[in-house]
């Protein structure tokens, strides 16, 4: 069944980031309230997304009452702005959808199971997450917690011939921070090159503060010390609009990062027909099927990373991986797949 999602969307925030892509939607920025600033001054708020920030309570309530939206979607009710919007939705009788990046299919403690069910009961909401997990009939899952996938924009992707390039072209993308594990990947490249594999690596990273610059310099020094300058290329602060070109110029995408909640770059790679490798600690690993559209290695384990890279190298054709990635995109990551799954869940809260 197909659904029509013709609608207008507003995004509300108390701040506007500098690295986000606002080409599709420009957020409405509400001025932070005096009460919010007072609470932050007393209790602190050191996270980048400022979870304790919220607008004037009465003004925001009146705005929602005047605009009368059909649905309110909030990002995790532990954030003060989200909690305010959720309370307003309950008072005004507006249907609520809670979004977070919780793994849907997993083992829940009794307390966590109770907490999620209680929140959905109090706000008459459904809770959605783009991280499905691995289905297990023994798991007891919160009643109204549902999987709704990410949606990733896609440009035209060309299917190339089955002939493999003489040199394996690897790509990794991320900020220059320790958690991204670039040194682990570079060590793996060094060892694979010593084994006689022909490959090169393009690193695209963000350098926007002193911490980034410090780690960037550490990466450059590591490359020189290992003598792999000829195998690596570093590009800094590349525009998001150009990323598809770099994906499609690569044979394989690698995300060596640890403690990665939900990497979008893994999904962008698949959308561009490029198989992806990430660790078993990455939230978006559930979009990868081993040997079909990518591989998963053991977190922080260089031997495991080398093994999965070698698995790809010995495969005879790259075209199958590309076709499988594009199939995954249509089934899970396209706007059509997103609309179909989301509308089914919206229908449930309407009945």
């Amino acid at each position: 069944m197909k659904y029509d999602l013709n609608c207008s969307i507003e995004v509300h925030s108390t701040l506007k980031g500098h690295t986000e892509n606002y080409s599709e939607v420009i957020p409405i920025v509400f001025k932070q309230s005096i009460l919010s600033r007072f609470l932050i001054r007393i209790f602190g708020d050191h996270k980048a997304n400022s979870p304790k920030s919220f607008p004037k309570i009465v003004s925001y309530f009146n705005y929602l009452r005047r605009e009368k939206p059909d649905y309110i979607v909030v990002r995790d009710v532990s954030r003060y702005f989200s909690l305010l919007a959720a309370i307003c939705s309950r008072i005004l009788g507006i249907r609520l959808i809670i979004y977070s990046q919780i793994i849907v299919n997993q083992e829940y403690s009794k307390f966590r199971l109770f907490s999620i069910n209680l929140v959905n009961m109090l706000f008459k909401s459904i809770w959605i997450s783009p991280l499905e997990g691995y289905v297990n009939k023994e798991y007891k899952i919160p009643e109204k917690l549902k999987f709704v996938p990410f949606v990733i924009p896609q440009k035209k992707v060309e299917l190339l011939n089955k002939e493999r390039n003489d040199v394996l072209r690897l790509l990794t993308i991320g900020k220059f921070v320790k958690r991204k594990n670039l040194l682990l990947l570079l060590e793996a490249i060094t060892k694979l090159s010593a084994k006689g594999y022909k490959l090169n690596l393009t690193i695209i990273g963000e350098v926007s503060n002193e911490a980034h610059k410090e780690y960037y310099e550490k990466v450059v020094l590591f490359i020189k010390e290992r003598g792999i300058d000829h195998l690596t290329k570093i590009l800094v602060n590349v525009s998001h609009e150009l990323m598809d070109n770099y994906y499609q110029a690569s044979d394989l995408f690698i995300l060596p990062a640890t403690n990665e909640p939900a990497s979008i770059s893994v999904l962008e790679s698949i959308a561009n027909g490029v198989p992806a490798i990430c660790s078993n600690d990455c939230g978006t690993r559930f979009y990868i099927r081993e040997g079909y559209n990518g591989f998963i290695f053991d977190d922080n384990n260089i031997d495991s990373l080398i093994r999965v890279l070698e698995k790809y190298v010995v495969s005879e054709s790259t075209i199958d991986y590309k076709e499988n990635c594009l199939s995954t995109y249509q089934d899970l990551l396209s706007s059509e797949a997103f609309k179909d799954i989301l509308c089914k869940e919206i229908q449930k809260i309407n009945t």
Side-chain angles (χ1 to χ4, degrees):
M1 181 183 292
K2 295 295 180 183
Y3 302 90
D4 185 10
L5 259 190
N6 290 327
C7 59
S8 61
I9 298 172
E10 288 185 0
V11 176
H12 296 175
S13 179
T14 55
L15 53 86
K16 187 176 178 182
H18 299 291
T19 59
E20 286 81 2
N21 181 1
Y22 297 113
S23 59
E24 299 297 329
V25 61
I26 299 174
I28 297 174
V29 179
F30 290 84
K31 187 177 180 181
Q32 190 181 26
S33 67
I34 294 174
L35 176 59
S36 173
R37 291 199 295 270
F38 173 76
L39 292 174
I40 290 171
R41 190 177 299 115
I42 297 299
F43 299 107
D45 191 14
H46 305 297
K47 294 184 179 180
N49 55 22
S50 193
K52 291 188 177 71
S53 179
F54 59 91
K56 295 178 181 178
I57 295 172
V58 175
S59 296
Y60 190 66
F61 177 86
N62 288 334
Y63 179 90
L64 293 176
R65 182 169 59 180
R66 184 172 64 251
E67 294 298 316
K68 298 178 181 176
D70 295 308
Y71 300 92
I72 293 177
V73 182
V74 298
R75 173 71 187 271
D76 193 348
V77 287
S78 65
R79 303 180 186 211
Y80 288 15
F81 197 170
S82 295
L83 182 59
L84 170 61
I87 293 171
C88 291
S89 77
R90 189 71 177 91
I91 297 171
L92 295 170
I94 302 169
R95 286 160 291 197
L96 180 70
I97 300 173
I98 300 171
Y99 168 87
S100 73
Q101 293 176 354
I102 184 176
I103 297 172
V104 175
N105 289 284
Q106 62 168 309
E107 213 159 325
Y108 293 86
S109 67
K110 290 182 179 180
F111 175 77
R112 199 175 192 194
L113 188 67
F114 171 78
S115 299
I116 294 173
N117 285 332
L118 179 63
V119 168
N120 282 330
M121 182 189 72
L122 290 174
F123 293 110
K124 293 187 176 180
S125 58
I126 63 167
W127 196 310
I128 64 173
S129 170
L131 305 182
E132 186 173 20
Y134 300 118
V135 177
N136 186 328
K137 292 181 180 179
E138 294 184 4
Y139 291 154
K140 190 172 182 181
I141 299 168
E143 185 180 349
K144 291 185 177 180
L145 176 59
K146 305 296 179 181
F147 166 69
V148 176
F150 283 109
V151 59
I152 304 295
Q154 184 192 53
K155 291 184 179 179
K156 185 177 180 181
V157 179
E158 298 290 343
L159 285 175
L160 305 177
N161 59 48
K162 296 194 176 201
E163 302 260 338
R164 184 188 291 279
N165 294 313
D166 291 336
V167 178
L168 182 64
R169 301 167 301 175
L170 307 176
L171 173 68
T172 190
I173 297 172
K175 295 178 181 179
F176 281 95
V177 292
K178 184 179 180 181
R179 183 179 63 79
K180 294 297 182 179
N181 260 348
L182 291 176
L183 301 187
L184 180 84
L185 176 57
L186 288 167
E187 186 65 38
I189 297 302
T190 303
K191 292 186 176 184
L192 286 167
S193 177
K195 288 184 176 184
Y197 292 113
K198 295 180 180 179
L199 44 78
N200 60 47
L201 172 67
T202 298
I203 301 171
I204 299 179
E206 177 187 330
V207 178
S208 58
N209 58 42
E210 284 302 315
H212 294 167
K213 185 178 179 182
E214 182 180 335
Y215 193 75
Y216 166 80
E217 291 171 351
K218 186 177 291 188
V219 168
V220 171
L221 179 62
F222 187 93
I223 290 170
K224 288 181 179 179
E225 288 178 344
R226 292 296 189 277
I228 53 172
D229 310 59
H230 61 296
L231 302 179
T232 55
K233 178 169 65 174
I234 300 178
L235 302 174
V236 174
N237 298 337
V238 174
S239 169
H240 189 270
E241 286 72 24
L242 299 176
M243 286 301 185
D244 288 334
N245 299 330
Y246 289 103
Y247 282 117
Q248 294 188 29
S250 304
D251 299 310
L252 188 62
F253 176 81
I254 307 171
L255 183 77
T258 187
N259 191 26
E260 188 72 38
S263 166
I264 296 300
S265 57
V266 166
L267 308 182
E268 289 176 337
S269 175
I270 291 172
N272 279 283
V274 179
I277 292 176
C278 72
S279 82
N280 58 4
D281 185 55
C282 175
T284 45
R285 68 189 181 277
F286 303 113
Y287 291 83
I288 293 177
R289 285 170 53 189
E290 288 264 8
Y292 179 80
N293 60 0
F295 297 93
I296 299 170
F297 71 95
D298 295 334
D299 187 45
N300 273 322
N301 188 320
I302 188 170
D303 294 329
S304 178
L305 176 57
I306 290 172
R307 279 196 300 271
V308 298
L309 281 165
E310 288 180 316
K311 281 183 184 179
Y312 179 82
V313 170
V314 299
S315 60
E316 295 180 358
S317 170
T318 60
I319 197 75
D320 293 336
Y321 284 105
K322 184 176 284 287
E323 289 176 341
N324 294 342
C325 286
L326 298 179
S327 177
T328 301
Y329 176 80
Q330 289 301 324
D331 293 342
L332 275 180
L333 298 170
S334 64
S335 57
E336 291 78 12
F338 173 81
K339 285 188 288 186
D340 189 54
I341 296 172
L342 178 62
C343 285
K344 285 178 181 177
E345 298 306 330
I346 285 177
Q347 269 197 340
K348 292 175 185 177
I349 63 173
N350 288 339
T351 56

